[in-house]
Amino acid sequence: MAMKHGDIMPGRCVRALLLVSISACALPVARPGFDSVRDLAMTRTGHRVHWYQGTPEDEQAFAAVRDLLSRPLTRDAAVQVALLNNRSLLAVYEELGVAQADLVKAGLLANPVFGVELRSRNLALNPPALVPAPPEVEASVGMDLLSILLIPLRTRLAEQQFEQARLRVGNAVIQLAAEVQTAFWEHESAVQLAQARRLFAEAADAGAELARRQREAGNIQELEQAVEESLMLEARLGLAQADAMVLEAREHLNRLMGVWGPQTAWTSQGSLPDLPHAEPAVEKLESLAVTERLDLAAERRQIELLTRALDLNRPWLLPLLDADAHAELEADGLAFGPGVDVQIPIFDFGQAERAALRAQKRAAEQRFAGLAVDIRSEVRSARNRLLTTRAMAEYYRDRLLPVRARVVEQTLLLYNRMFLGVFALLRARQDELAARQGHIETLLAYWQARVELERAVGGRLPTPTVTESSPPTSTGHTGHRP
């Protein structure tokens, strides 16, 4: 606001403004909007979130993290630990505090500006005067009236910003939950794949050792021994790579859960679950995603926010207006008088700011439309991957693995009857283990696609529908059903 010396407000108005300022300082800004974020997280992910602010509930959250890490880690436990312990997510919560503070500030009156000016007469201009004239005192205070009229508009704009911040925080929760689920499945598959490759390496070691003995006895050629030795070396290299993948996947999950030190000593089952008996209904997932995605809702709020900003920056019929009252203490008495400062928009009508806001609004509308198109594509892509990887996993489970097991069984019968040698039996076993590794990889791809579809939709998937697939067949590993 423009400030002019020589203005003062009556004492009653000053006291009223002080009371408003004091009461505004007492406005609560702790945990702004977090209850709605907590409810949203429970609805979309099935897990609770907590904002650490030095309350008694903080220790309960810490205890929950310790308890979850003390038991074998599951997918749900990993997600819950991350939502309670991930520092990056906890930092995002502070956006709510900033937005709430802006909302409070938007509803406050602008602080008045007080000023005092002392003036004394120049004695050189009045040589006959032997006694200097008393100084003239002028006190002033001013306030922008138009800013008071704009408080409702500013408040609605701040409310839009606060709602946008709430949506961004909620979206961050959903994104982290999806990322943790993917990392957990990658860790479990890495452990299971390492176990399968260890069995494969043991079989290759046995084949190489048998070949060495038979070569020493003169029963096989050097070429046959070299083939078995190369298979053994390749199997050991594959096992070393699998063990490295386990360590990498574990550390990735540690980072997402925000754990360190003794907390990283958690254990898990180390196996992927079998395919579920049912899949979610996929007919209307695109429409559901457009309705439920919080990042799209945040873009929609951005358009509304820019519309409000344009309302605040439109060319007003009323000019910028500062009202004031002044009192001046002079030698002959005390003078009172009101005053008004008017800023006349001759050169700058705010046209540049409005043009920029209109461009930002058009850009926001294009981003909103583009994101809606991308979301629909993400849903279709994730849905196709889910159905494709399920079909591949079912093929491994129902067709290839049973055939490989039957090959091993028949080869063993022929070996016992001395129609086939031991190398044929080892090769059949290695082929079965290789098929099992392929099954593990397709299971991982399926669960990754399922998590991606949940993320693309914006939360939990619709109620599953019964599929036409046959019941699962044992694949030689233990697993739990989600």
Side-chain angles (χ1 to χ4, degrees):
M1 81 179 186
M3 175 60 212
K4 178 182 177 182
H5 291 296
D7 310 323
I8 189 167
M9 299 189 76
R12 183 177 300 175
C13 296
V14 173
R15 288 193 297 271
L17 287 174
L18 290 175
L19 290 175
V20 170
S21 301
I22 294 172
S23 61
C25 295
L27 289 176
V29 296
R31 302 178 60 85
F34 190 73
D35 290 343
S36 62
V37 172
R38 181 186 58 200
D39 296 339
L40 187 148
M42 181 60 68
T43 302
R44 300 293 183 91
T45 69
H47 298 89
R48 70 186 185 95
V49 294
H50 179 71
W51 190 1
Y52 297 92
Q53 290 188 316
T55 62
E57 290 79 10
D58 292 355
E59 182 54 39
Q60 298 177 8
F62 287 131
V65 170
R66 290 193 297 268
D67 180 64
L68 291 170
L69 294 174
S70 66
R71 293 176 286 164
L73 197 66
T74 63
R75 173 195 59 182
D76 290 338
V79 173
Q80 184 62 83
V81 169
L83 294 184
L84 293 176
N85 209 45
N86 184 283
R87 269 57 175 183
S88 297
L89 180 63
L90 298 180
V92 173
Y93 293 161
E94 301 302 330
E95 290 188 20
L96 292 173
V98 175
Q100 176 69 9
D102 291 340
L103 179 58
V104 172
K105 183 178 179 180
L108 297 179
L109 296 173
N111 291 327
V113 178
F114 295 87
V116 177
E117 184 177 349
L118 299 177
R119 292 193 298 268
S120 60
R121 298 185 182 277
N122 192 335
L123 297 180
L125 299 178
N126 301 285
L130 300 178
V131 180
E136 297 178 356
V137 180
E138 184 177 349
S140 64
V141 63
M143 197 163 190
D144 186 357
L145 293 182
L146 186 58
S147 67
I148 300 176
L149 299 177
L150 293 180
I151 284 179
L153 279 176
R154 290 204 310 267
T155 301
R156 287 196 292 271
L157 179 63
E159 288 172 351
Q160 295 286 349
Q161 293 173 325
F162 179 77
E163 177 63 16
Q164 190 179 33
R166 187 186 71 85
L167 292 172
R168 285 197 301 267
V169 172
N171 187 63
V173 171
I174 294 175
Q175 294 295 330
L176 178 61
E179 193 174 355
V180 172
Q181 288 186 72
T182 299
F184 180 79
W185 294 139
E186 289 174 349
H187 174 266
E188 297 299 277
S189 68
V191 173
Q192 193 172 354
L193 190 60
Q195 294 171 348
R197 288 188 176 179
R198 185 166 287 103
L199 294 176
F200 188 90
E202 291 174 357
D205 285 344
E209 177 62 20
L210 180 60
R212 183 187 65 79
R213 293 180 181 179
Q214 291 197 351
R215 174 59 182 163
E216 290 176 353
N219 295 330
I220 61 173
Q221 299 295 324
E222 182 178 356
L223 175 60
E224 296 175 275
Q225 180 188 4
V227 169
E228 295 298 326
E229 185 176 359
S230 66
L231 290 175
M232 178 266 295
L233 294 175
E234 290 177 357
R236 287 182 177 179
L237 180 60
L239 176 59
Q241 293 173 340
D243 289 338
M245 289 175 59
V246 172
L247 295 177
E248 183 64 26
R250 187 181 184 90
E251 287 307 319
H252 183 205
L253 191 54
N254 282 337
R255 289 194 296 273
L256 292 176
M257 292 192 299
V259 299
W260 61 284
Q263 292 179 323
T264 61
W266 50 267
T267 61
S268 69
Q269 187 177 6
S271 63
L272 291 170
D274 292 327
L275 296 174
H277 288 292
E279 290 297 342
V282 296
E283 291 80 11
K284 299 181 180 179
L285 289 183
E286 292 182 43
S287 300
L288 179 64
V290 171
T291 303
E292 296 294 324
R293 281 280 289 264
L294 297 182
D295 52 349
L296 188 64
E299 287 294 339
R300 185 183 297 110
R301 292 289 182 180
Q302 178 68 9
I303 297 174
E304 297 172 358
L305 188 151
L306 291 170
T307 302
R308 295 288 187 188
L310 276 170
D311 290 338
L312 281 174
N313 285 273
R314 65 190 177 188
W316 295 94
L317 296 178
L318 291 176
L320 299 179
L321 183 64
D322 291 343
D324 53 60
H326 62 267
E328 186 172 351
L329 181 62
E330 298 177 343
D332 55 352
L334 184 64
F336 292 94
V340 175
D341 291 338
V342 179
Q343 184 183 109
I344 302 176
I346 298 177
F347 305 107
D348 185 2
F349 291 90
Q351 60 271 27
E353 291 83 355
R354 289 192 298 277
L357 285 172
R358 283 193 292 268
Q360 293 174 14
K361 182 182 177 182
R362 291 193 298 270
E365 290 170 344
Q366 294 298 331
R367 284 195 300 269
F368 176 81
L371 182 57
V373 172
D374 292 344
I375 286 174
R376 290 180 178 274
S377 177
E378 289 175 8
V379 170
R380 291 194 301 271
S381 180
R383 177 189 60 197
N384 293 337
R385 281 200 304 273
L386 180 73
L387 298 179
T388 300
T389 53
R390 182 184 180 94
M392 293 175 62
E394 288 176 340
Y395 186 84
Y396 268 100
R397 183 193 67 191
D398 301 333
R399 301 289 298 276
L400 186 56
L401 287 179
V403 169
R404 287 299 184 189
R406 196 160 62 249
V407 168
V408 172
E409 180 183 358
Q410 294 299 317
T411 303
L412 181 59
L413 290 176
L414 294 176
Y415 171 76
N416 290 335
R417 296 176 183 176
M418 305 182 71
F419 290 118
L420 291 176
V422 67
F423 289 113
L425 179 60
L426 288 173
R427 192 73 67 248
R429 178 58 176 164
Q430 289 172 348
D431 291 342
E432 181 191 26
L433 293 173
R436 202 176 303 283
Q437 294 178 38
H439 183 219
I440 296 171
E441 292 170 352
T442 57
L443 274 179
L444 172 61
Y446 168 82
W447 288 111
Q448 287 175 328
R450 191 179 179 94
V451 172
E452 179 59 24
L453 184 57
E454 290 178 347
R455 188 204 62 79
V457 170
R460 292 182 174 181
L461 294 174
T463 303
T465 57
V466 178
T467 62
E468 299 296 331
S469 61
S470 57
T473 305
S474 174
T475 60
H477 68 273
T478 58
H480 63 278
R481 298 192 181 280

